Amino acid sequence: MKILLAKEASYVQLEEFFGKNPNVNQKSVYENGYVVEMKDKIEGCFVLDQLKEDIFWLKQLYITQSEAGRLPFLLEAILTLAKQRNAKSIYVHSHQPVVDILLEALQFHQQKEKILEDKYPTTNGSWWAYNVS
């Protein structure tokens, strides 16, 4: 598994990935995101948006169904990347019970108060936070 800036990925591979995954916000991923390459093919993407100097929001996390079993490894790699970018906290908005279970297993903490809700209102799901050590 290789993580690289979307801007540094092969145009042909990006077009193929976006063509097969129309729900992914191409513009956001290309401008501010990363892609996940496995076996010379893009199989996932995410945006690690910097909200403040040391606070990040992991959004648009996507991995193809064929590689979904690698999601825990991808999340670990994202946490390492965030640490390299000097993150102290990472927030994730989850709207899938399976992702909630995975986040809890990776020691994310569900947020009771609506941390980012004022700027980024959501109608469903939960906010989670991870304190990077």
Side-chain angles (χ1 to χ4, degrees), residues 38-87:
M38 297 179 206
K39 301 174 196 152
D40 296 322
K41 192 173 173 190
I42 295 175
E43 296 286 355
C45 64
F46 62 93
V47 175
L48 194 57
D49 200 10
Q50 190 167 0
L51 301 177
K52 293 184 182 174
E53 183 179 333
D54 55 0
I55 298 175
F56 290 79
W57 177 11
L58 173 58
K59 56 185 180 177
Q60 265 218 78
L61 174 59
Y62 179 83
I63 191 163
T64 59
Q65 191 170 1
S66 62
E67 297 295 337
R70 302 201 55 161
L71 184 58
F73 303 107
L74 175 56
L75 275 167
E76 289 282 357
I78 292 169
L79 294 176
T80 300
L81 175 65
K83 194 173 190 174
Q84 291 169 350
R85 291 183 61 187
N86 299 317

Side-chain angles (χ1 to χ4, degrees), residues 82-119:
K83 194 173 190 174
Q84 291 169 350
R85 291 183 61 187
N86 299 317
K88 288 210 168 91
S89 297
I90 301 170
Y91 290 93
V92 177
H93 182 259
S94 167
H95 46 85
Q96 296 178 352
V98 173
V99 175
D100 290 345
I101 292 167
L102 181 57
L103 291 171
E104 191 168 16
L106 289 171
Q107 299 181 343
F108 277 76
H109 302 286
Q110 190 169 9
Q111 302 299 290
K112 302 294 181 219
E113 62 277 357
K114 309 222 182 252
I115 304 284
L116 300 173
E117 198 70 22
D118 56 335
K119 289 184 181 178

